[in-house]
Amino acid sequence: SDLQKQEERGELLQPLIFVLLVLCSILLYFKVSLMDPGFVKPEEEEGEDKGQGVIPQIPGDVKLRRCGYCLVKQPMRARHCQQCQHCVRRYDHHCPWLENCVGERNHPLFIVYLSVQLVVLLWGVHVAWSGLYFEQSWEWLQHNIFLLVSFLLILIFTIVVLLLLVSHLYLISCNTTTWEFMSHHRISYLQHSELENPFDQGIILNLWRFFC
């Protein structure tokens, strides 16, 4: 049959890989959106910071404070999220697409999700572009308008995901978060530090500690 011939020629391998990547991105989406991003539990000790501990450059007069909303003692780099109604360890941001915070526990998986999604989108751009052949006629536009619009939408999503992934990788390489980068002037442990970024330990060590 035609299907067997296509399988023998290896023509079914690429569609199969594409479908698997799409399924992987969907599973990662639900995993990141449903998992605990690193909520601070009331029973946890004040000094615990799960590997993100206070390093010597942080002034001693900066004390951990009690959250005014959920009344837990906030570890260093934690922040209360109004949408989730919890304090989140190593808070990065609240993602409206995930309806969840990105924090200490799910941030690495969030990066993996963005990477897989970018591969899927780039593949989609390639497929849509390969199906286009341009002619300057109204009839051509009528027959290809759906494919053309799809190509433009996928291209826009690809650019957005690429910029988001690059910006996160840059912040990770500096060992800072989106919240710390955007609100540096309002965060007490950064205001009183002699260094602009007291958590930076070099690109290699920053990446190693984040992913490993």
Side-chain angles (χ1 to χ4, degrees), residues 18 120-134 140 144 146-155:
F18 181 78
V120 171
L121 287 169
L122 287 172
W123 200 327
V125 168
H126 171 71
V127 171
W129 177 259
S130 63
L132 285 173
Y133 62 95
F134 294 97
W140 175 88
N144 292 274
F146 177 76
L147 185 59
L148 186 61
V149 171
S150 299
F151 171 76
L152 293 175
L153 285 175
I154 296 173
L155 184 62

Side-chain angles (χ1 to χ4, degrees), residues 36 38-45 72-73 87 89 105:
D36 178 355
F39 295 135
V40 180
K41 304 298 191 301
E43 65 271 14
E44 291 176 351
E45 295 294 330
V72 298
K73 292 180 180 179
C87 286
R89 291 179 177 274
R105 293 191 62 192

Side-chain angles (χ1 to χ4, degrees), residues 25 28-29 32 93 95 97-98 102 107-121 157-158 160-169 172:
S25 69
L28 283 169
Y29 172 84
V32 176
H93 71 285
C95 180
W97 303 107
L98 297 172
V102 175
H107 200 171
L109 269 182
F110 178 71
I111 298 301
V112 175
Y113 165 70
L114 287 180
S115 302
V116 174
Q117 194 65 51
L118 180 60
V119 172
V120 171
L121 287 169
F157 291 143
T158 302
V160 171
V161 172
L162 177 62
L163 292 176
L164 188 60
L165 179 60
V166 169
S167 64
H168 272 276
L169 289 175
I172 291 167

Side-chain angles (χ1 to χ4, degrees), residues 166-194:
V166 169
S167 64
H168 272 276
L169 289 175
Y170 169 74
L171 293 176
I172 291 167
S173 68
C174 299
N175 197 1
T176 189
T177 64
T178 302
W179 172 57
E180 290 171 341
F181 181 79
M182 300 294 292
S183 306
H184 188 279
H185 60 287
R186 295 193 290 113
I187 301 174
S188 59
Y189 59 81
L190 295 180
Q191 282 180 329
H192 297 90
S193 174
E194 296 178 358

Side-chain angles (χ1 to χ4, degrees), residues 48-87:
E48 293 180 354
D49 207 357
K50 294 186 178 179
Q52 299 290 344
V54 181
I55 60 178
Q57 289 84 349
I58 299 293
D61 57 349
V62 178
K63 297 180 180 180
L64 303 184
R65 68 184 185 89
R66 188 173 293 277
C67 177
Y69 297 97
C70 53
L71 303 179
V72 298
K73 292 180 180 179
Q74 285 185 336
M76 187 73 70
R77 312 188 79 178
R79 183 178 186 267
H80 184 84
C81 175
Q82 296 283 8
Q83 287 85 356
C84 294
Q85 294 298 310
H86 283 286
C87 286

